[in-house]
Amino acid sequence: MIEVEWWEYDSVDELADAIAGDIGFIVESAVDARDASLIAVPGDETGRAMFHKVAQQKLPWKKVTMIPTDDRLVAVDSDLSNVREIARAFLPLGARVVPLTSEAADDYRLAGNAANARLQDLPWPPDLVWLGMGADGHTASIFAGADLQAALDAPKARRAIGVLPDPLPADAEVARVTLTRAAILSARTMLITITGQQKRELLEGAIADGHSSKLPIGRVLAEAEQPIDIHWCP
């Protein structure tokens, strides 16, 4: 069974302070070791709410490359774009922000191939993959649907893939590109942020079920070999 440590906080603000501190340590350690750092960050609302705290860290941002864990197949200036929010927070600091996609696409599988090719140019593995989780148990854009198994079973060399959730989420009825399970689990460090008792119970159940979980996040984490820190507040 995977090794998981839960960290509980009284508020989202306290949670954000802890995440910012963790990311600061991860980035500084990576820069000391390799003179560069690559981190993947989420686009969910909880993650975005913490960007300003992370951005306040006095870090060697010009040596940091950031990618989304996933994105919607929309233009980069769209309200639905995850990379837009990452760029707004971190480009002014000097960080390099690499999008998975930059436009709407008719063929999400080809868009996934393009995203994978783009990530092949980055030094791998990431120092950090920071995940969120939806109320339906998805993580990154690994949703239930016909493309779930492809995202889970992609070979280790495959870093990104196009997916079409089924059903499409009502708040963003578009196809996606996402890191594969192999890419997520290749990270030197993994952390998850969630809020609310319902999500905690959902995630605890998914972890307990492991490979037999009906939830995408359970299936992803069942293959994890490194410890995972889960940061949560009610």
Side-chain angles (χ1 to χ4, degrees), residues 30-54:
V31 170
D32 285 346
R34 294 175 290 279
D35 201 37
S37 181
L38 171 65
I39 61 175
V41 301
D44 66 307
E45 290 184 10
T46 300
R48 290 182 184 188
M50 301 179 192
F51 285 176
H52 72 286
K53 286 289 183 76
V54 177

Side-chain angles (χ1 to χ4, degrees), residues 1-4 6 131-139 142 148 152 181 192 194 197-224 228 230:
M1 190 169 177
I2 63 171
E3 182 181 342
V4 173
W6 286 86
L131 297 172
M133 184 192 74
D136 59 357
H138 82 268
T139 191
I142 302 179
L148 171 62
L152 293 176
R181 175 169 64 180
I192 300 171
I194 57 170
Q197 184 63 32
Q198 185 175 4
K199 282 193 176 183
R200 173 160 186 159
E201 293 173 2
L202 193 74
L203 183 52
E204 285 178 328
I207 291 170
D209 290 342
H211 289 96
S212 65
S213 176
K214 296 180 180 179
L215 303 179
I217 195 165
R219 302 281 299 282
V220 169
L221 298 183
E223 295 287 328
I228 300 170
I230 303 176

Side-chain angles (χ1 to χ4, degrees), residues 107-119 158 160-162 177:
D107 189 326
Y108 69 91
R109 290 188 175 91
L110 289 179
N113 292 343
N116 180 62
R118 187 173 295 182
L119 294 184
R158 179 90 187 196
I161 193 169
V177 288

Side-chain angles (χ1 to χ4, degrees), residues 26 38-42 67 69 124-131 140 179 183-192 226 228:
I26 290 166
L38 171 65
I39 61 175
V41 301
I67 60 174
T69 57
W124 211 259
D127 299 301
L128 169 69
V129 169
W130 169 12
L131 297 172
L179 296 183
I184 290 170
L185 297 183
S186 72
R188 292 184 171 94
T189 301
M190 286 179 58
L191 65 84
I192 300 171
Q226 72 272 61
I228 300 170

Side-chain angles (χ1 to χ4, degrees), residues 64-118:
V64 177
T65 298
M66 307 183 77
I67 60 174
T69 57
D70 61 299
D71 214 339
R72 289 86 175 246
L73 287 175
V74 295
V76 292
D77 59 354
S78 168
D79 290 343
L80 296 179
S81 171
N82 289 340
V83 79
R84 185 185 75 165
E85 300 307 312
I86 299 169
R88 283 179 171 178
F90 300 105
L91 275 181
L93 303 175
R96 179 189 181 199
V97 177
V98 177
L100 296 181
T101 184
S102 59
E103 59 188 4
D106 293 329
D107 189 326
Y108 69 91
R109 290 188 175 91
L110 289 179
N113 292 343
N116 180 62
R118 187 173 295 182

